[in-house]
Amino acid sequence: MADQPVFDPFSQTFTLISGDGMAINITIPELDAFILYSVQISINHAAQLGASLIILIVLLLLTKLDKRKTPIFIINSTALILNVLRSLLQCLYFTGPFSETYAYFSLDYSRVTRSDYASQVTITVLMWLLLLFVEASLLLQIRVVCVTLLDFYKRIIYALSTCIAGLAVAFRLALSIENAKYIVALESQFSLHWLASAANITTSVSICWFSLVFVVKLGLALNQRKKLNVGSFGPMQIIFIMGCQTLIIPAIFSVIEYFVPLPSIDSNVLTLVTIFLPLSSLWASASVDNLRRDLPKPDNHGKLLSRNSTATTGLLIGEKFLSDPLTSSESATTGTSRSNPPSPISTHDKHLYADLEAQHKA
């Protein structure tokens, strides 16, 4: 008597009957893979939702009223709002009719409502808008960081940055359009894998390019500041650290998606950049405020001496204290700005301090 095959209860098959009476055979491993995928991707998007929401609340609470009208704050906060909405809709997708067991295995989406279709199309649009605001934020910060460069180098960097950002936005727009068509028709005339891969690659290259320019420029400025004995830990060091972080961590996630089969790991790239950009601004602004609070304030005796003397001390510039804003004419005359005490540096070296001022104003 021939040996009978051993029955494996963990790989048995069960049958689903479709609406037209057709039998659909499904194995337990296939069902487990479907459930595991839904759980993993839901956790991923839920984590992005929570992180973006927390950073948005922190940004709104800690940003001063006068800074809330700046372009960088508007762009960063809008990007966080878009990412919160996108992550929320992604979570709703995996708890809605699209992800029901029967609909998934039978490809029968007859009970999916128009609002469910609309929410999925909205996700593709939000992804494109999110990238658009992220690229705008990076372009704005590159413009601020490179403000002290010669015009020739500034034009080259701006042109390359605009082309790279435009290419990433264009590929993401094309992917969003094709995704929307596929969602509505539930079919596509060609595979979207190459387009999705191209969109992810151009996005990663764009983020790495901006972060690389950002880090190199600030690294050179920090090295020059160190030679001038201005090496204390401050806003420029903070922005340099966050720039390195923005360069390395999203780049790691961009590479991991091609080697580690984790669902929707590519969506973490934009989320990480969206979170890191406002964090760097908050940290640097807090450092600037601390530096200003630590500046020595003259007492009444010092004020009296300043009025009776024509000499300018390290704390007083004419009749204005270091904590008071200087006019442009006074800055040109004394070689002093609000954030920097008077020092015998050359006109070329003064550009080093303009990096910090420009970044703080942004």
Side-chain angles (χ1 to χ4, degrees), residues 40-331:
Q40 287 178 334
I41 199 169
S42 297
I43 292 174
N44 186 6
H45 289 297
Q48 296 179 51
L49 171 62
S52 300
L53 188 59
I54 290 174
I55 296 300
L56 177 61
I57 295 174
V58 171
L59 182 64
L60 295 176
L61 291 177
L62 298 184
T63 303
K64 296 180 180 180
L65 292 177
D66 58 332
K67 293 293 183 181
R68 294 185 181 181
K69 297 180 181 179
T70 58
I72 192 66
F73 172 81
I74 295 173
I75 293 174
N76 287 339
S77 57
T78 303
L80 286 169
I81 293 173
L82 291 174
N83 200 49
V84 168
L85 295 176
R86 178 189 67 85
S87 301
L88 177 61
L89 291 178
Q90 289 281 19
C91 292
L92 292 177
Y93 171 83
F94 290 98
T95 58
F98 272 111
S99 295
E100 292 179 353
T101 303
Y102 172 76
Y104 176 80
F105 286 102
S106 66
L107 301 179
D108 183 1
Y109 299 104
S110 57
R111 295 192 179 183
V112 177
T113 62
R114 294 176 63 89
S115 60
D116 294 318
Y117 281 103
S119 65
Q120 298 314 300
V121 174
T122 303
I123 291 175
T124 65
V125 177
L126 290 176
M127 281 290 294
W128 176 72
L129 289 176
L130 176 60
L131 178 63
L132 185 64
F133 276 88
V134 167
E135 297 290 352
S137 179
L138 292 171
L139 276 171
L140 182 60
Q141 296 204 35
I142 286 292
R143 180 176 177 271
V144 172
V145 168
C146 298
V147 69
T148 58
L149 292 179
L150 297 176
D151 289 340
F152 175 74
Y153 296 109
K154 281 195 293 187
R155 291 193 185 98
I156 293 178
I157 293 177
Y158 294 164
L160 287 175
S161 301
T162 303
C163 291
I164 293 173
L167 190 64
V169 171
F171 270 103
R172 181 64 61 177
L173 177 60
L175 180 62
S176 298
I177 293 173
E178 293 300 326
N179 269 334
K181 292 180 179 179
Y182 175 78
I183 291 171
V184 174
L186 293 178
E187 61 180 8
S188 179
Q189 296 180 353
F190 57 91
S191 175
L192 299 180
H193 291 295
W194 73 270
L195 187 57
S197 180
N200 292 333
I201 291 174
T202 52
T203 299
S204 302
V205 169
S206 172
I207 294 172
C208 290
W209 161 259
F210 282 112
S211 300
L212 183 61
V213 174
F214 202 59
V215 168
V216 170
K217 178 61 175 67
L218 287 177
L220 293 175
L222 289 176
N223 185 48
Q224 291 174 325
R225 285 168 60 88
K226 187 177 180 180
K227 294 179 180 178
L228 294 171
N229 294 325
V230 193
S232 60
F233 188 83
M236 291 191 70
Q237 286 84 351
I238 292 171
I239 298 170
F240 178 79
I241 292 172
M242 295 302 294
C244 292
Q245 183 172 290
T246 306
L247 168 65
I248 296 172
I249 298 181
I252 291 175
F253 275 86
S254 300
V255 175
I256 284 179
E257 66 173 308
Y258 294 99
F259 301 97
V260 180
L262 293 176
S264 194
I265 192 174
D266 59 295
S267 63
N268 291 278
V269 175
L270 282 180
T271 297
L272 288 171
V273 178
T274 304
I275 291 174
F276 288 159
L277 289 176
L279 275 180
S280 62
S281 300
L282 287 175
W283 191 8
S285 297
S287 178
V288 169
D289 294 336
N290 291 334
L291 289 175
R292 287 176 175 174
R293 283 196 297 267
D294 293 339
L295 287 175
K297 296 182 180 179
D299 53 12
N300 293 329
H301 180 66
K303 295 180 182 178
L304 182 61
L305 289 176
S306 67
R307 293 188 180 96
N308 296 328
S309 174
T310 57
T312 301
T313 67
L315 294 177
L316 294 169
I317 304 170
E319 292 293 328
K320 287 185 176 290
F321 290 98
L322 184 60
S323 58
D324 295 329
L326 298 176
T327 62
S328 58
S329 59
E330 291 168 334
S331 298

Side-chain angles (χ1 to χ4, degrees), residues 18-30:
S18 64
D20 56 2
M22 178 187 242
I24 303 173
N25 294 323
I26 304 171
T27 63
I28 295 294
E30 291 175 342

